């Protein structure tokens, strides 16, 4: 049975705005930080000495953000309640020498990031966004949010086998987008275009982290608008819900210190200074303990009582491919968030973690569903097992069930984002 229809228009409208405004991990954390700032949180620099005052604080590093709220009177050994998520999504990213072309077409050289459904990037109007590093070492977020590039598909007349044998794409040859015409392809054209587009001097840009994104806006879908279609739901849907939940509990009397941990690079293994397998989260939590006068013993006590919800999207049952799912576990959209379980530790959930999640959902009056993979299919993974192993923190994998995961445009139910956020509020409150 699906959950009662509880559509919160304001929350879902806000999610859609967040998705549209966050074409890259850098934009996503900047938008999350802006929301936290409005709620009274303040950024702290990793290079500064930290003081142990109460209130909301956050650290930004690249495409990652760690934010936490210290309640009045919190002891150094007060445990944390963490919601973990990731900011990155599979896409096409610009190479160090981006300018290329052939046969009168100007193209941009791109590399495949993560595991995208490559066919979903064909014949899409694409923008270009990311981070520019300037000659003085500063950075600038940029977003060309209009049709600029396109990966044109080969006409069926030139490949009659595609209907019978399926589409076959070579990652190197077939996914380079076009962005103009001309036989004289000059090195530096793309960066010069961006310098001009954003009012920078010629030669001012010395480094870049750029990626393509679809410019089509998120939209309600379905007979009764019961669905939402949009980009980067995996996993900005969780980042948005976790940010909203942290803002909601800030200022309350809490037995725990609530934390948002949104990492970059989950889609390619999390092994970076901004990934879940890096030292960022552990360093922030430890420094918070020590800033409040704590010792290593206090740090150990705090970590021992800490619980993390690893929130990431999962698979709703697909009506055209139901045999790919476990026959007894068919999560439905608008049926409430999912608890993700894998006994081989591709997910970190165990029975005690399930109890924590069930208590939060019961408190929030939120139904939840369970997800396991079909035994004959490989199971994906999340930041959950990494967080549990790296920090010794009890971790539970949860999320929202969607269709078309890793497509340029994914699909979820209108109820589930708000239900997830409500459950996260109850969890952070303890």
């Amino acid at each position: 049975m699906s959950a009662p229809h509880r559509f919160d228009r304001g929350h879902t409208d806000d999610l859609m705005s967040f998705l549209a405004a966050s074409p890259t991990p850098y934009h996503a954390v900047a938008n999350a930080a802006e929301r936290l700032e409005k709620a009274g949180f303040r950024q702290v620099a990793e290079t500064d000495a930290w003081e142990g005052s109460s209130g909301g604080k956050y650290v930004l590093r690249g495409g990652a953000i760690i934010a936490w709220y210290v309640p009045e009177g919190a002891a150094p050994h007060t445990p944390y309640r963490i919601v973990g998520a990731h900011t990155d999504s599979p896409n096409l990213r610009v190479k160090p020498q981006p300018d290329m072309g052939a046969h009168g077409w100007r193209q941009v050289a791109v590399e495949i990031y993560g595991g995208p459904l490559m066919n979903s990037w064909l014949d899409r109007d694409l923008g270009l966004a990311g981070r520019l590093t300037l000659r003085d070492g500063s950075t600038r977020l940029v977003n060309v949010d209009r049709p600029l590039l396109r990966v044109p598909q080969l006409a069926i007349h030139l490949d009659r086998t595609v209907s019978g044998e399926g589409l076959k794409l070579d990652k190197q040859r077939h996914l380079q987008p076009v962005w103009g015409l001309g036989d004289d392809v000059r090195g530096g054209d793309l960066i010069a275009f961006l310098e001009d587009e954003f009012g920078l001097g010629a030669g001012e840009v010395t480094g870049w982290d750029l990626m393509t994104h679809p410019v089509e806006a998120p939209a309600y879908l379905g007979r009764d608008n019961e669905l939402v279609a949009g980009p980067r739901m995996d996993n900005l849907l969780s980042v948005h819900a976790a940010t909203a939940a942290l803002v909601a509990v800030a200022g309350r009397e809490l037995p725990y210190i609530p934390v948002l941990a949104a990492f970059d690079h989950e889609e390619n293994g999390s092994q970076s200074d901004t990934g879940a397998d890096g030292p960022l989260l552990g360093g922030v939590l430890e420094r918070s303990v020590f800033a409040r006068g704590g010792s290593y013993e206090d740090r150990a006590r705090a970590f021992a009582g800490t619980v993390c919800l690893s929130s990431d999207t999962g698979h709703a049952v697909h009506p055209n491919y139901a045999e790919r799912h476990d026959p007894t576990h068919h999560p439905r959209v608008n049926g409430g968030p999912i608890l993700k379980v894998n006994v081989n530790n591709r997910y970190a959930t165990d029975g005690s973690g399930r109890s924590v999640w069930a208590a939060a959902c019961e408190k929030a009056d939120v139904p939840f569903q369970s997800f396991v993979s079909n035994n004959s299919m490989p199971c994906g993974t999340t930041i959950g097992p990494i967080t549990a192993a790296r920090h010794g923190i009890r971790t539970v994998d949860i999320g929202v069930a969607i269709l078309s995961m890793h497509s340029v445009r994914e699909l979820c139910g209108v109820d589930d984002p708000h239900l997830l956020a409500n459950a996260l509020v109850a969890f952070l409150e303890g």
Side-chain angles (χ1 to χ4, degrees):
M1 294 292 292
S2 62
H5 196 64
R6 308 186 189 189
F7 176 35
D8 183 309
R9 178 96 193 196
H11 181 90
T12 309
D13 283 350
D14 191 60
L15 167 63
M16 294 163 72
S17 297
F18 186 80
L19 294 173
S22 304
T24 75
Y26 315 115
H27 291 81
V29 298
N31 289 324
E34 182 180 3
R35 291 159 184 254
L36 292 167
E37 286 276 348
K38 290 179 179 177
F41 285 69
R42 294 294 176 261
Q43 184 176 1
V44 293
E46 293 184 81
T47 53
D48 290 345
W50 291 6
E51 43 84 25
S53 62
S54 60
K57 305 170 187 180
Y58 68 92
V59 166
L60 283 181
R61 184 192 290 183
I65 183 170
I66 311 293
W68 66 103
Y69 180 83
V70 180
E72 287 284 350
H77 61 269
T78 299
Y80 298 95
R81 282 280 172 115
I82 305 168
V83 179
H86 67 88
T87 61
D88 59 320
S89 300
N91 57 17
L92 310 178
R93 302 201 172 187
V94 175
K95 288 183 175 180
Q97 296 180 26
D99 299 293
M100 61 179 292
H103 308 291
W105 294 97
R106 291 181 182 271
Q107 295 176 275
V108 174
V110 296
E111 189 172 3
I112 312 301
Y113 177 81
L117 284 172
M118 293 187 294
N119 63 292
S120 71
W121 287 86
L122 302 178
D123 296 332
R124 295 273 186 177
D125 295 336
L126 303 176
L128 189 67
R131 179 179 66 176
L132 301 177
T133 302
L134 308 185
R135 190 169 296 279
D136 62 4
S138 63
T139 58
R140 174 89 173 265
L141 294 187
V142 295
N143 182 11
V144 183
D145 196 27
R146 68 175 190 273
L148 180 69
L149 308 103
R150 186 179 179 91
V151 182
Q153 187 168 190
L154 183 65
I156 192 170
H157 312 77
L158 303 179
D159 183 10
R160 297 290 184 178
T161 66
V162 70
S163 294
E165 299 178 13
L167 180 66
K168 297 178 182 179
L169 294 173
D170 182 285
K171 294 180 180 179
Q172 178 61 43
R173 292 187 296 127
H174 298 152
L175 291 172
Q176 309 304 321
V178 300
W179 76 302
L181 300 174
D183 289 307
D184 182 19
V185 178
R186 298 178 297 275
D189 277 358
L190 180 67
I191 301 307
F193 162 76
L194 292 174
E195 288 173 334
D196 182 66
E197 183 82 1
F198 295 100
L200 301 170
E204 195 172 350
V205 174
T206 57
W208 53 88
D209 303 280
L210 297 167
M211 54 202 78
T212 62
H213 67 275
V215 297
E216 184 181 2
Y220 291 106
L221 184 147
R223 185 192 66 181
D224 300 317
N225 286 340
E226 65 266 50
L227 301 169
V228 178
R232 299 177 294 278
M233 291 184 182
D234 178 16
N235 186 32
L236 294 188
L237 188 157
S238 293
V239 175
H240 174 264
T243 304
L246 181 59
V247 167
V249 302
R252 301 180 186 178
E253 293 185 11
L254 302 169
Y256 301 100
I257 296 173
V259 180
L260 159 67
F263 301 100
D264 202 351
H265 301 130
E266 189 271 350
E267 297 293 356
N268 63 7
S270 295
Q271 292 185 322
S272 71
D273 68 325
T274 53
D277 204 18
L280 180 58
L281 176 62
V284 168
L285 299 184
E286 289 178 347
R287 291 184 69 177
S288 178
V289 169
F290 299 149
R292 285 175 280 122
S295 62
Y296 183 81
E297 181 72 10
D298 291 312
R299 179 262 186 214
R301 292 174 65 188
F303 277 44
T306 292
V307 184
C308 174
L309 290 186
S310 165
S311 182
D312 203 346
T313 54
H315 303 294
V317 62
H318 196 301
N320 299 336
Y321 300 90
E323 73 280 0
R324 301 297 183 97
H325 300 265
D326 182 86
T328 60
H329 294 76
H330 281 176
R332 298 186 178 190
V333 297
N334 289 335
I338 57 174
L339 177 74
K340 301 160 81 170
V341 179
N342 180 266
V343 295
N344 293 302
N345 286 337
R346 300 292 286 174
Y347 303 131
T349 307
D350 62 11
S352 65
R354 185 188 192 281
S355 180
V356 172
W357 172 240
C361 289
E362 181 178 359
K363 179 180 178 181
D365 190 26
V366 167
F368 74 91
Q369 311 173 84
S370 294
F371 171 84
V372 295
S373 289
N374 185 304
N375 288 342
S376 299
M377 304 289 293
C379 181
T381 191
T382 67
I383 65 167
I386 294 171
T387 303
R390 183 171 184 85
H391 305 294
I393 290 172
R394 181 164 49 153
T395 304
V396 189
D397 271 293
I398 57 97
V400 162
I402 69 171
L403 290 183
S404 306
M405 187 183 294
H406 286 199
S407 172
V408 77
R409 198 164 176 85
E410 296 162 325
L411 188 69
C412 77
V414 294
D415 291 338
D416 292 327
H418 186 237
L419 293 174
L420 173 65
N422 283 354
L424 296 184
V425 169
F427 167 74
L428 292 177
E429 287 179 331

